[in-house]
Amino acid sequence: MLKAEVVGQLLLMQSGLINLPDEKSIFSFISRGLTDIPGIERVDYLETSNGQSNDADFEIPLGKNGNNFGMLKFIISDPEEFLIYQPYLLNFIFMVEVVLEERLQRRINQKNQEELEIRVKERTSQLRNEIKERKQIEENLKSSETLFRTVFENASAGVCLVDLDGRFLKVNQRFRELLKYDKNELIGRHFNEITHPDDKEIGKSIIKKIKAGEEDNSIYEKRYLNKNGEVLHALVSLTLLHNEKQKPQFYIVYVQDITRQKQTELKLREQEFQFRNLANAGVALIWKANTEKQCDYFNEPWLNFTGRTLEEETGFKWTENVHPEDLEFCLETFSSAFDQRETFDMQYRLRHISGEYRWIRDLGTPNYNTKGEFVGYIGHCFDITESRQAQENLRRSYEIQKITAQISTSFVEATSKNFDDKISRALAELGSFYQVDRAYLFLYSDDFKTMSNTHEWCNEGITPQMDNIQNTPIDSMPWLKTQLFDLRICQVEDVEKLPEEASVEKVEFQRQNIKSLITVPVSSGQQNYGFIGFDAVRRKYSWNNYEKHNLKIIAKSIGDTLANLHYENLLKEAKEKAEESDKLKSAFLANMSHEIRTPMNGILGFAELLKTGSLSGEAQQEYISIIEQSGMRMLNIINDIIDISKVEAGLVKVDLQNSNINKQLEYLYTFFKPEIEDKGIRFSFKNGLPEKESTIQTDREKLYAILTNLVKNAIKFTNKGFIELGYELINADANENIHEPYLRFYVKDSGIGISKDMQETVFHRFIQGGNSETNLQNGAGLGLSITKAYVEMLGGSIGVESEEGRGSTFYFTLPYKTTPEESGLKEKENTNPEAENKQLNLKVLIAEDDEPSQILVSKAMESISREVIIVGSGIDAVNEYRNNPDIDLILMDMRMPVLNGYNAVIQIREFDQNVIIIAQTAFGLSGDKEKAVAAGCNDYISKPINPGELVSLIQEYF
């Protein structure tokens, strides 16, 4: 039982106590009512304590103002529950004591009143008889004066004689005691001098009526003020006495003290006032019905709740505010309990003054009067709307949590095979649960330019829209795009109230007859995959924050599932690529073994032949030429391996510069023309732009490498016919879906061609254009892979068109970004045109830890040096230069023991900024030259070193 219900029951019992006739019915009523209070098993009434109690008993003595009414003994079943309601029980017991005392005082007052009336009647009768016998009394007065004085003085009521002017002639002892005056203090004083100011007119009015003959005597209530100023409530009997001639002689006045009765009456009125205030001050809506089942009383909280007057509610008019769906149940419950004289507890909806129907809990109890007669019902009502709403919200929250957990859990086991089925089931469950008309999933394209409705559930009678919403441009709905791409939930409670900036979306939603909708982003981490959405077509719908939170959880589960499936696909692709890479690496290793061993065979074999002394000079030169060609072949293989390694490691950077592509093509034509024509092949080139328009922004070195690789590839696989090099401009054309102009370069040949099945893999690593043993050519199969990587770095694409046995056309595209005309290839200008013919006489320091390299470089220096110093480490190079400050040139290897070349250069530059230092390294990686220059070197040359190129580089500085 709720605390509010207990308080309500106690209030009902308090109001019922007043009407009970005697102590027996009171204690019987208490025993029945208090047993319903939680924690109380039984309540017994005892006249005195029997001394037999234990920890489960609780005795409360009943008494007030010295009156003992017995004792209530509570048999406790649950001490903790009893402690909760003990304060309210003690307050109730206090009211029981007040009622018992009131009953006792009422009987006393009633008895006194009856005695007084009897005495007054008797006395009045006696006085009348005395008047009739006045003459006889007067005659006997002298003889009986002593007796009269004795009776007068010893009367139990206050008695006084007052003259016709209202002044006291004689007062008895009891009158003096009531007013606390001494003997003779009142004689001669007017009765109004001791009358309460508010009651003075009462006596005057009564005397006036008696004098007028309207009545012989009068009994009335008035208040006196005693000598101490205290109020005395009195019942006064005033009679006018006449003499034998029937002339008024004086008034005889009898005064009965009724102060205590008046105090009791005032207390009862105050209690009644407090009870009424209590009924109106609480939250309970209280009503009372008569025996005809008609309500004749409603307290102020009820009237304030409904906003109606008492007249508008009485009878059965209160039912006008009961919800139509609850009216039959309400009346049936009320009438059934009424007929059985049983309590009832029912809930129904009652219209509030605001117009809202609120849930009411109505507790009805039969009402009996002091005689135990049934007089109707009393009811206490409480507004439980918030409580019911909380219960409904709790139930709804549980259901939402349940479906959220079920759907989210189902995606844990999602695979690419069952994902579609799980999505369809989830949308159907969510659509049915939220009672919407359409549920769907949209996914974005990889470039986030379009979105497609991939899954849809529709309620019965709702037209599907999925087929109409495929590859929809996201930019076509800009307002919605902003919401979705910010990963925010977008709720539209009323499509008709969409803002002006959502006018496009409004038209589309109206086309689908949507009244309300919500979209929830489907994402995982920072990856946005799309959104799930719900449409309300038949009626408007609003999602609360808790519902949106759970939809977000489900959308997150879908997003995580999509991410997992994506990662699974990536792993699968990676596995396939790894397996393919293993095959390619196996082919590469076999190819490398062949490609490295073949030139090494030429180098080592002909070097061995050179050791014999019987070779002619012509044969020696031929063998040396073969060794040189084999070395260059091996160097090209190593360079290709280094280049592809740099690409895969991300070490290759794009350096955009002004490049004249016409001059680059002319340079390549001039460079390759002798080699191609030596094979008997025709070679031509074609510029696609005039000279003034042929300067573009690109990485000239990578463009040169791309064209060089493609021409070399054509030379390798063409034995007769032609090779053509060229490019053309492709202008922008909206009809052809070309948004910006670009250049299309091509290298066309009449070589062996490429089979269809090989054209897809020709740009893969370690793959050559020929797929058969007869078509294998020299090379590592890395050139086209490097070329493809460079093209994509420059913002283009590459492809091949070929027919086996009839030749191939390799083509690639680059963005056409024009710049002012500038030379595409700038050769380093020789600041001294006579340098090549100039005889140098330098002092040279060679820092090199490899002995063959020491010999090679020192031999190259013989023609331009007067002295050569050789050291094998960086620290020796620093010390040697300190000891020989006249050294003109330092050739510094970058990789040496103890102290590497970079740090050695840094130390030398700390004390000399002028000496020429040229770096030499076999690393061959991107950034080596920049790193060397940053350390302090003037220039850079990579190994293997060509002695002629080295001397030419040195001559540029001297």
Side-chain angles (χ1 to χ4, degrees):
M1 182 181 291
L2 299 177
K3 187 183 290 185
E5 295 175 355
V6 174
V7 174
Q9 180 171 330
L10 291 174
L11 288 174
L12 285 173
M13 293 179 66
Q14 289 178 18
S15 62
L17 286 172
I18 299 174
N19 298 323
L20 296 176
D22 50 37
E23 288 83 348
K24 182 178 181 181
S25 60
I26 289 175
F27 294 125
S28 175
F29 177 77
I30 291 173
S31 298
R32 291 197 309 272
L34 294 186
T35 307
D36 294 333
I37 306 300
I40 300 177
E41 179 181 339
R42 190 175 78 253
V43 179
D44 297 331
Y45 170 71
L46 306 173
E47 291 185 1
T48 59
S49 174
N50 57 16
Q52 298 178 356
S53 63
N54 52 48
D55 292 340
D57 298 342
F58 183 79
E59 295 181 350
I60 300 178
L62 301 175
K64 195 167 184 67
N65 296 327
N67 296 313
N68 182 17
F69 304 125
M71 178 176 298
L72 287 179
K73 182 175 182 180
F74 290 80
I75 310 303
I76 309 303
S77 61
D78 189 337
E80 292 184 356
E81 284 282 318
F82 179 77
L83 286 176
I84 294 175
Y85 303 109
Q86 183 175 343
Y88 306 103
L89 289 170
L90 292 176
N91 183 62
F92 173 77
I93 297 303
F94 171 76
M95 295 307 303
V96 173
E97 292 174 335
V98 170
V99 171
L100 290 172
E101 183 185 22
E102 182 268 335
R103 294 288 188 280
L104 176 62
Q105 191 61 48
R106 186 182 296 175
R107 288 198 301 273
I108 294 172
N109 292 342
Q110 185 176 358
K111 183 177 181 181
N112 290 339
Q113 180 69 26
E114 291 173 353
E115 290 177 354
L116 179 61
E117 289 177 355
I118 292 171
R119 289 178 183 178
V120 168
K121 288 179 180 180
E122 290 176 350
R123 187 58 182 165
T124 301
S125 177
Q126 291 174 358
L127 287 174
R128 286 176 180 172
N129 292 331
E130 288 175 359
I131 292 172
K132 291 179 181 180
E133 299 174 355
R134 185 169 181 178
K135 289 182 179 182
Q136 184 66 38
I137 295 174
E138 290 177 350
E139 292 175 356
N140 299 325
L141 183 60
K142 291 181 180 180
S143 60
S144 61
E145 182 178 354
T146 303
L147 179 62
F148 172 78
R149 288 179 178 177
T150 302
V151 174
F152 181 85
E153 287 294 334
N154 295 317
S156 61
V159 183
C160 61
L161 301 178
V162 181
D163 64 18
L164 298 179
D165 293 329
R167 298 185 181 278
F168 292 107
L169 297 174
K170 190 176 185 66
V171 296
N172 72 348
Q173 182 178 349
R174 178 59 179 162
F175 189 87
R176 293 193 301 271
E177 289 175 355
L178 291 176
L179 294 172
K180 299 183 180 180
Y181 280 96
D182 293 333
K183 189 175 183 180
N184 299 326
E185 282 186 323
L186 292 174
I187 304 302
R189 298 181 67 177
H190 196 280
F191 68 83
N192 271 346
E193 293 182 35
I194 59 172
T195 299
H196 192 282
D198 295 339
D199 294 349
K200 289 182 178 181
E201 292 299 322
I202 297 176
K204 290 181 180 180
S205 175
I206 296 298
I207 291 175
K208 185 177 179 180
K209 289 181 179 180
I210 292 177
K211 283 183 176 181
E214 295 178 7
E215 52 187 43
D216 294 335
N217 65 335
S218 179
I219 299 175
Y220 57 93
E221 292 182 5
K222 68 173 290 185
R223 288 171 292 177
Y224 290 100
L225 294 177
N226 65 19
K227 187 175 181 179
N228 297 329
E230 299 169 342
V231 177
L232 173 71
H233 289 269
L235 179 66
V236 179
S237 174
L238 185 148
T239 303
L240 177 61
L241 299 181
H242 299 78
N243 60 17
E244 64 278 5
K245 296 180 179 181
Q246 297 300 312
K247 290 184 178 180
Q249 187 175 8
F250 55 84
Y251 298 98
I252 183 168
V253 181
Y254 291 88
V255 178
Q256 180 71 40
D257 182 7
I258 60 171
T259 301
R260 190 168 185 179
Q261 293 94 313
K262 281 295 181 181
Q263 290 174 343
T264 301
E265 290 177 6
L266 288 174
K267 185 181 294 184
L268 289 174
R269 284 199 293 269
E270 178 64 23
Q271 289 175 355
E272 181 179 357
F273 179 77
Q274 292 298 330
F275 283 140
R276 193 172 295 276
N277 281 346
L278 184 62
N280 291 329
V283 297
L285 314 181
I286 301 176
W287 55 267
K288 184 169 75 68
N290 58 29
T291 56
E292 300 300 322
K293 302 180 182 179
Q294 295 182 344
C295 291
D296 53 17
Y297 170 78
F298 294 90
N299 70 344
E300 289 183 10
W302 177 290
L303 300 176
N304 293 335
F305 182 92
T306 61
R308 287 155 61 102
T309 64
L310 182 62
E311 291 73 18
E312 291 174 324
E313 294 287 87
T314 54
F316 292 104
K317 294 193 289 292
W318 63 275
T319 61
E320 296 172 1
N321 277 343
V322 177
H323 194 285
E325 295 178 1
D326 302 336
L327 181 58
E328 182 179 353
F329 161 76
C330 180
L331 292 177
E332 183 180 348
T333 302
F334 175 76
S335 180
S336 176
F338 202 98
D339 295 339
Q340 299 297 325
R341 305 294 192 262
E342 295 176 346
T343 60
F344 64 80
D345 182 349
M346 65 176 172
Q347 298 180 9
Y348 55 89
R349 284 165 289 181
L350 189 67
R351 186 164 52 216
H352 187 257
I353 186 174
S354 64
E356 171 195 7
Y357 280 101
R358 298 184 66 82
W359 280 98
I360 297 297
R361 184 180 185 187
D362 195 337
L363 305 172
T365 304
N367 189 20
Y368 297 89
N369 62 16
T370 56
K371 298 179 181 180
E373 298 171 338
F374 175 73
V375 294
Y377 262 72
I378 294 177
H380 286 70
C381 303
F382 301 92
D383 185 347
I384 60 170
T385 304
E386 282 72 21
S387 175
R388 281 186 65 102
Q389 187 62 48
Q391 293 176 358
E392 175 61 23
N393 291 341
L394 185 63
R395 183 193 64 79
R396 179 71 172 174
S397 298
Y398 170 76
E399 292 179 351
I400 291 174
Q401 287 180 348
K402 182 178 179 181
I403 192 172
T404 300
Q406 289 175 345
I407 293 176
S408 299
T409 304
S410 70
F411 283 110
V412 173
E413 300 177 351
T415 64
S416 56
K417 293 182 179 180
N418 64 17
F419 177 75
D420 290 339
D421 180 62
K422 288 185 178 294
I423 283 290
S424 298
R425 287 176 179 270
L427 293 178
E429 290 177 10
L430 290 171
S432 299
F433 179 80
Y434 287 108
Q435 298 181 350
V436 294
D437 300 302
R438 191 182 295 120
Y440 44 82
L441 169 66
F442 272 77
L443 295 179
Y444 303 134
S445 60
D446 292 340
D447 58 3
F448 291 94
K449 291 184 178 180
T450 64
M451 58 182 177
S452 296
N453 188 179
T454 59
H455 300 78
E456 181 185 41
W457 168 87
C458 291
N459 206 343
E460 185 177 353
I462 299 300
T463 304
Q465 298 292 329
M466 186 168 71
D467 293 340
N468 302 326
I469 315 176
Q470 296 297 320
N471 299 316
T472 301
I474 298 178
D475 290 336
S476 65
M477 306 184 83
W479 178 81
L480 183 60
K481 175 184 176 181
T482 301
Q483 315 294 316
L484 296 173
F485 278 31
D486 286 345
L487 296 180
R488 291 182 298 181
I489 293 178
C490 176
Q491 178 175 212
V492 180
E493 295 183 3
D494 188 350
V495 167
E496 298 301 324
K497 295 181 180 180
L498 276 171
E500 184 177 349
E501 56 267 27
S503 58
V504 175
E505 288 80 359
K506 183 176 180 180
V507 171
E508 175 60 20
F509 297 155
Q510 289 174 334
R511 181 189 69 79
Q512 301 180 42
N513 298 319
I514 299 173
K515 289 184 171 60
S516 304
L517 65 93
I518 188 172
T519 61
V520 185
V522 172
S523 63
S524 180
Q526 298 300 315
Q527 182 63 43
N528 190 0
Y529 292 102
F531 60 92
I532 55 173
F534 303 88
D535 296 343
V537 176
R538 294 189 175 97
R539 62 181 178 84
K540 295 177 183 176
Y541 191 95
S542 178
W543 287 262
N544 61 40
N545 289 333
Y546 188 73
E547 290 173 332
K548 288 188 283 189
H549 172 71
N550 281 272
L551 287 178
K552 191 174 182 180
I553 292 174
I554 293 173
K556 179 65 166 56
S557 298
I558 297 174
D560 291 341
T561 301
L562 289 171
N564 290 337
L565 295 179
H566 175 67
Y567 294 144
E568 287 179 8
N569 290 333
L570 290 180
L571 289 173
K572 183 178 179 181
E573 292 176 3
K575 179 183 177 183
E576 292 173 352
K577 288 182 178 179
E579 292 173 351
E580 180 64 21
S581 179
D582 286 341
K583 295 178 181 178
L584 294 175
K585 286 179 180 178
S586 297
F588 168 71
L589 291 175
N591 199 18
M592 286 301 99
S593 176
H594 173 269
E595 290 300 322
I596 293 175
R597 289 175 181 275
T598 298
M600 285 299 295
N601 182 59
I603 294 171
L604 297 177
F606 285 98
E608 188 68 26
L609 291 175
L610 285 174
K611 293 179 182 179
T612 63
S614 59
L615 295 176
S616 63
E618 182 179 351
Q620 289 179 351
Q621 291 300 318
E622 181 183 357
Y623 292 173
I624 291 172
S625 176
I626 292 172
I627 291 173
E628 186 178 42
Q629 291 175 8
S630 298
M632 289 302 297
R633 179 177 172 183
M634 182 175 289
L635 180 60
N636 288 335
I637 293 171
I638 294 172
N639 285 338
D640 281 349
I641 295 173
I642 291 173
D643 286 343
I644 195 65
S645 299
K646 290 191 289 184
V647 168
E648 291 185 348
L651 299 175
V652 179
K653 306 298 180 183
V654 175
D655 181 19
L656 296 179
Q657 300 179 37
N658 294 335
S659 303
N660 189 301
I661 53 179
N662 282 355
K663 290 184 178 180
Q664 279 192 289
L665 259 65
E666 292 170 6
Y667 177 81
L668 288 168
Y669 174 76
T670 303
F671 183 82
F672 284 109
K673 187 174 183 293
E675 180 182 355
I676 293 173
E677 291 182 347
D678 282 348
K679 292 184 68 174
I681 300 170
R682 298 190 309 276
F683 186 38
S684 62
F685 75 98
K686 177 183 176 182
N687 289 331
L689 291 171
E691 188 67 24
K692 292 182 178 181
E693 300 175 11
S694 64
T695 300
I696 65 171
Q697 274 250 320
T698 190
D699 188 323
R700 68 177 68 167
E701 297 299 330
K702 289 181 178 55
L703 177 57
Y704 177 78
I706 293 167
L707 292 170
T708 299
N709 281 340
L710 292 179
V711 172
K712 285 184 176 180
N713 194 66
I715 295 172
K716 185 186 299 183
F717 293 100
T718 303
N719 297 318
K720 60 181 180 179
F722 68 92
I723 295 176
E724 182 181 338
L725 168 66
Y727 72 93
E728 60 182 338
L729 173 64
I730 307 298
N731 289 308
D733 188 344
N735 294 329
E736 297 293 332
N737 201 27
I738 301 174
H739 303 292
E740 294 184 0
Y742 63 89
L743 297 175
R744 185 178 187 273
F745 293 84
Y746 64 89
V747 176
K748 187 176 183 180
D749 64 60
S750 58
I752 64 176
I754 306 172
S755 62
K756 290 291 184 182
D757 57 336
M758 288 298 296
Q759 290 179 22
E760 294 293 328
T761 59
V762 72
F763 295 103
H764 292 181
R765 291 172 296 167
F766 319 132
I767 299 295
Q768 289 188 339
N771 192 30
S772 64
E773 293 295 330
T774 58
N775 286 336
L776 288 177
Q777 302 290 328
N778 294 336
L782 296 173
L784 290 179
S785 180
I786 295 169
T787 299
K788 181 175 183 293
Y790 283 176
V791 168
E792 291 174 350
M793 286 181 186
L794 298 180
S797 60
I798 190 169
V800 61
E801 297 173 354
S802 182
E803 185 176 349
E804 195 169 6
R806 302 190 64 176
S808 305
T809 300
F810 284 85
Y811 60 88
F812 65 93
T813 63
L814 291 182
Y816 180 52
K817 297 179 181 179
T818 59
T819 58
E821 182 179 1
E822 187 175 329
S823 174
L825 287 172
K826 287 187 176 180
E827 299 294 333
K828 184 179 288 186
E829 296 180 2
N830 193 336
T831 56
N832 185 1
E834 299 179 356
E836 293 185 5
N837 299 321
K838 182 179 180 181
Q839 295 297 319
L840 301 178
N841 189 26
L842 305 175
K843 186 173 183 179
V844 180
L845 172 61
I846 299 174
E848 173 63 69
D849 64 327
D850 180 60
E851 185 175 351
S853 297
Q854 291 177 353
I855 297 171
L856 176 62
V857 175
S858 63
K859 288 295 183 180
M861 293 297 99
E862 288 181 352
S863 62
I864 60 171
S865 63
R866 68 178 185 274
E867 181 181 354
V868 175
I869 303 173
I870 300 175
V871 296
S873 69
I875 192 67
D876 291 338
V878 175
N879 293 333
E880 195 66 37
Y881 183 71
R882 287 183 184 276
N883 297 330
N884 296 275
D886 58 337
I887 291 176
D888 302 301
L889 172 66
I890 301 176
L891 298 175
M892 182 74 71
D893 181 38
M894 293 293 101
R895 184 176 183 179
M896 290 185 293
V898 185
L899 184 71
N900 64 36
Y902 297 108
N903 292 330
V905 172
I906 291 172
Q907 290 189 19
I908 291 173
R909 287 305 186 201
E910 289 178 355
F911 58 87
D912 192 319
Q913 297 292 325
N914 299 319
V915 64
I916 303 299
I917 305 176
I918 295 177
Q920 51 183 5
T921 180
F923 289 165
L925 295 177
S926 175
D928 284 347
K929 180 176 181 180
E930 291 76 8
K931 186 176 179 181
V933 171
C937 296
N938 297 89
D939 218 321
Y940 168 95
I941 189 170
S942 62
K943 295 179 181 180
I945 295 174
N946 185 305
E949 292 178 359
L950 177 59
V951 171
S952 298
L953 179 61
I954 293 171
Q955 288 176 337
E956 293 179 11
Y957 293 94
F958 297 97

